[in-house]
Amino acid sequence: MCGIVGALYHDPKRVCSERMIVEMRDSMAHRGPDDYGIYLDGSLGFGHRRLSIIGLTTGHQPLANEDNTLWIVFNGEIYNYKQIRKQLVQRGHIFKSESDTEVILHLYEEQGEDCVHELNGMFAFAIWDTKRKELFLARDRVGIKPLYYAPTSDAFLFSSEIKALFKSDCLVPECNTEAIPEYYLYRNVAGERSLFKGVFSLLPGHRMKVHRGQLDIQEYWSPFPEQINSSISYREAQEELTALLQDSVKIRMMSEVPLGTFCSGGIDSSLVTAIAAQQVSQPINTFSVGFHEASYDETRYAQMVSGKYATNHHEVKLNSREFADLLPTMVWHNDEPLNFANSVQIFAISKLAKEHVTVVLTGEGADELFAGYPRYQIPLLVAALRKIPQFIIPLLKIAAKLTSDHRIKKLLSFSNSTVHDAVLFNTALPHYNHAEKLFSSKEIKYLAYRLESLVKTENLNDPILQISILDQLTYLVSILYRQDKMSMAAGIESRVPFLDYRIVEFSNALPRPFKLKRGKRKRIIQDIALSFLPEEIITRKKSGFGVPLKNWINGKNGLGEMTSDLIYHNQSDILDERINLKKILNDHLDGLQDNSEILWTSINLLIWEQLFLKGQH
C-alpha cells in the first residue's frame, strides 16, 4: 500500500524537475511512512511513498527490470503474485526481490498490457517504457485503489491523491462547477470526472497508454454478467460462495506485518472476522468505533463477535467535538468533500488500529453485490405504488412527515416516478426539493456517466440487478475511495475480501431470489453467516454505520458550532447564489424540518472550498 505520482511532459526535450516530483510525492507522506523513492528519465518523473507490507527489505520503488528498460511505481497488493512468480521463473525470468511489484513488471514484459488479466488484487500502477517512451497505467477491476490523472497543456500528470497533482508546475485547483448539481444529488461525482476542473480518475477495470501527449483508454474488465447462472441450485451457490469467501479471506491475510479486522458488529465485517479468526491459531485483533449516544452505538454487537472468536478487541468512541475537530483534516485527506459522515469514524478506528497492526480486513462490497440495502426494493415498491389510487399518495406523504424513518420518505418521493428513475436516483439523497434548484434543463447532461451506465444495464431485465451493477460502477467506488483515503491517512492498509473479482463475477450471475426474496435482503450471505455468527447479529436491523448528525448539528458545540459558523459567517463563491443555506439551517434548528443531510452535504463543500480553492489550510 503506497502513494504513487508521475509527470510526463509532452515536449520530449523538456526535463522533469526532481524538486517537483519530490513535492508531489511527499504531499502524500502519510500513505508511505516507511520508504520513498524517485526516478527521472528526461521528460518523465516517477515518485513513490511506501507502506511496507510484503518484501520489507527488498521492495523499494520505483523498480526496474533486469536491463533498466522498464520502470514501475505501484500501489496495492497482488494476492496471487507467488503463483505468477513461479510461472515466470520457469520461463526464465530473473528476480532480484521478493515483492509483488516486481512480478507485475516481469508479467508486463511477458504479456504487455494484457498482464492485468492475470492479477488478483487491488492495484494502481504505472510502467514507463524507456525504449518506446510510452507510459502504461492500470487500475484494479472494482476500483479499490484510486488513480487520478490530469492531462494539461504541458504534461500528463498522475497520482494516488488529487492534492499531489497541484504540487506540480502544471495545474492549479479550480472548481468543476458543472459537477455541483450531481454532488448535491449523490454527494459524489461518478465516472471519470471530479469536483476539480481538469482532474479525472481512471475508471475501475480500465487501462491507459500515454504516448506523445495522446491518451488511449480501454476497458479490460466489466462487472456485467454474460448470463444469469440459472442452472445452479441455492445449496450449490451457498457452498461455492462459502469456499470463495474463505479463500478470499485467506489470501488477504498474506502479510509480513501484524494484521486485524474492522468489526462493526454488522453481518459483513463480522463474517469476515469470523472466517479470518478460523484461519489462524492465535487471537486476531479486531477494532470497532462507537458513539456516546446509545441509539447510535452498536459496539455491543462487535463485542459479541469478539467474544465468540476470542479476539483482542479494541474500541474508540467519538463525541461531537472530537468529530468536528477531525472534519477539516479528513476533507483534506479525502481531496473532495466527504460523502459519508462515517468517514471520520473510519479514520478514528484506523488511527486506533495503527497502534496494533498495519493491515486490516473490512466488509465493504457485500451490500452492493447481494442487494443488502433497503432501497434496492424501491423499484418493486414503485410498481406497487402505481396501483394505489393517486388521491391516497398525498395522505401518505403527510403521514411520512410525522415519522423519522427516512426510508419511507425516500420511497414516497418516488411515488410519481418510473422504474427507470427509481434505478437512476436510487442512491440520490432525499433533499430533491433543494437539489432541483441547482439544475437547469441543460445541466442534466452532467449525469452522463450515470445515464450511460444505466442504459448498459437495461438489457439485464431485472431492476434489482440494474441497481446492483449501477452501484458497483458509482456508489461503491465512492465507498472504496473513502476506505482507502481514511485508512491511509492513518498509515493503515485495508483489504476487502468481498470484492475479490471472482466473488463479484459469481454474485452478479446469481438469480435474484438468491440475494433478495420476500423482502429478505442479502439472503445468501445471511444463510452462510448462520454457520459462523450468533443469530442476533444476522437478524438485527441494518444500521448503515450511522452518525447522529441531527443531534450534533442541533448542539451548541462541536458540529453544531462549526455548521453555524460556516453557514452564517462564510462567503462561498460556488454556493451563495444557488441555495439558501441560512434558511435551511434555521428551519432545521427551529424543528420545522430535518435538514441534517443537506447541511452535512453543504458544510463539507464549504470546508473543501476553503481548503483547496481559497488555500485556507
Side-chain angles (χ1 to χ4, degrees), residues 61-82:
Q61 294 186 47
L63 182 69
N65 63 347
E66 298 100 321
D67 59 4
N68 292 334
T69 57
L70 296 175
W71 287 81
I72 186 173
V73 280
F74 165 57
N75 171 31
E77 301 289 352
I78 305 301
Y79 304 119
N80 62 336
Y81 82 99
K82 289 185 177 180

Side-chain angles (χ1 to χ4, degrees), residues 518-582:
R518 297 191 186 96
K520 184 178 180 179
R521 303 184 308 275
K522 219 155 45 178
R523 175 191 173 204
I524 191 169
I525 295 297
Q526 288 194 41
D527 289 343
I528 289 172
L530 286 170
S531 301
F532 294 89
L533 300 171
E535 188 172 355
E536 187 178 355
I537 297 287
I538 300 164
T539 58
R540 75 183 182 92
K541 182 180 176 181
K542 183 174 179 60
S543 69
F545 201 25
V547 174
L549 287 176
K550 180 181 178 181
N551 297 343
W552 285 358
I553 291 174
N554 284 339
K556 300 295 184 183
N557 300 309
L559 189 62
E561 180 183 15
M562 171 179 279
T563 301
S564 296
D565 184 61
L566 282 167
I567 291 176
Y568 290 142
H569 306 116
N570 181 68
Q571 181 69 31
S572 172
D573 296 331
I574 58 179
L575 276 186
D576 284 347
E577 295 182 2
R578 288 179 173 239
I579 194 165
N580 190 344
L581 288 179
K582 291 179 182 178

Side-chain angles (χ1 to χ4, degrees), residues 256-274:
E256 296 177 24
V257 293
L259 178 147
T261 72
F262 284 171
C263 183
S264 68
I267 184 173
D268 308 326
S269 63
S270 298
L271 181 55
V272 167
T273 298

Side-chain angles (χ1 to χ4, degrees), residues 216-455:
D216 178 16
I217 302 175
Q218 297 178 341
E219 182 181 64
Y220 69 85
W221 182 87
S222 165
F224 287 82
E226 292 183 4
Q227 62 181 18
I228 300 301
N229 187 359
S230 56
S231 63
I232 193 171
S233 72
Y234 186 66
R235 187 170 199 172
E236 290 170 337
Q238 277 186 275
E239 292 173 352
E240 187 169 346
L241 180 56
T242 301
L244 282 170
L245 278 170
Q246 289 173 324
D247 185 63
S248 180
V249 169
K250 180 180 179 180
I251 63 177
R252 281 162 179 77
M253 295 184 76
M254 169 189 71
S255 175
E256 296 177 24
V257 293
L259 178 147
T261 72
F262 284 171
C263 183
S264 68
I267 184 173
D268 308 326
S269 63
S270 298
L271 181 55
V272 167
T273 298
I275 295 174
Q278 292 180 347
Q279 302 272 3
V280 293
S281 57
Q282 297 296 318
I284 64 171
N285 285 281
T286 52
F287 306 90
S288 66
V289 61
F291 297 100
H292 299 287
E293 292 82 356
S295 60
Y296 283 84
D297 185 61
E298 298 187 319
T299 52
R300 74 181 186 90
Y301 295 107
Q303 293 165 5
M304 196 180 300
V305 177
S306 173
K308 180 174 177 61
Y309 288 98
T311 73
N312 296 321
H313 192 60
H314 314 271
E315 294 178 357
V316 62
K317 292 190 177 183
L318 292 180
N319 60 35
S320 180
R321 177 78 271 162
E322 293 164 334
F323 183 95
D325 288 344
L326 285 172
L327 185 52
T329 302
M330 295 304 94
V331 173
W332 183 83
H333 276 292
N334 198 57
D335 293 325
E336 295 182 290
L338 299 181
N339 44 357
F340 305 98
N342 56 28
S343 296
V344 180
Q345 292 164 267
I346 292 176
F347 171 75
I349 193 175
S350 298
K351 191 175 179 181
L352 171 65
K354 186 62 177 178
E355 298 174 9
H356 306 273
V357 302
T358 306
V359 177
V360 294
L361 274 58
T362 78
E364 270 81 6
D367 286 313
E368 292 78 13
L369 294 181
F370 299 98
Y373 298 117
R375 60 181 169 80
Y376 274 49
Q377 298 174 84
I378 286 177
L380 305 180
L381 296 172
V382 164
L385 276 175
R386 301 189 71 158
K387 298 177 182 178
I388 297 176
Q390 287 303 298
F391 73 87
I392 296 179
I393 299 298
L395 299 177
L396 292 174
K397 289 185 176 181
I398 292 172
K401 290 183 178 180
L402 302 176
T403 179
S404 60
D405 194 332
H406 69 278
R407 295 172 297 182
I408 295 176
K409 294 177 180 178
K410 181 159 187 172
L411 172 61
L412 290 174
S413 72
F414 286 104
S415 58
N416 297 318
S417 301
T418 63
V419 172
H420 174 279
D421 284 347
V423 174
L424 177 63
F425 295 106
N426 198 263
T427 58
L429 297 166
H431 48 246
Y432 305 108
N433 56 327
H434 296 296
E436 284 171 358
K437 297 174 184 177
L438 303 174
F439 278 96
S440 71
S441 59
K442 295 180 181 179
E443 286 181 318
I444 192 68
K445 69 181 182 180
Y446 296 113
L447 293 182
Y449 178 77
R450 295 178 190 271
L451 287 165
E452 290 168 5
S453 299
L454 177 58
V455 168

Side-chain angles (χ1 to χ4, degrees), residues 88-157:
L88 290 169
V89 168
Q90 292 173 347
R91 295 172 192 163
H93 289 262
I94 299 173
F95 288 81
K96 56 187 177 185
S97 76
E98 297 296 325
S99 72
D100 51 350
T101 307
E102 191 176 5
V103 169
I104 299 174
L105 199 56
H106 285 274
L107 189 63
Y108 181 79
E109 284 183 311
E110 188 88 11
Q111 299 186 13
E113 61 190 53
D114 286 337
C115 66
V116 289
H117 295 293
E118 302 294 324
L119 304 175
N120 185 353
M122 51 182 186
F123 56 83
F125 65 83
I127 293 176
W128 173 243
D129 188 323
T130 63
K131 291 182 178 179
R132 296 181 180 178
K133 300 299 179 182
E134 184 174 272
L135 185 62
F136 174 73
L137 302 99
R139 189 175 177 198
D140 64 67
R141 293 170 179 84
V142 295
I144 304 169
K145 294 291 100 190
L147 184 55
Y148 296 100
Y149 67 94
T152 74
S153 59
D154 295 320
F156 174 86
L157 311 170

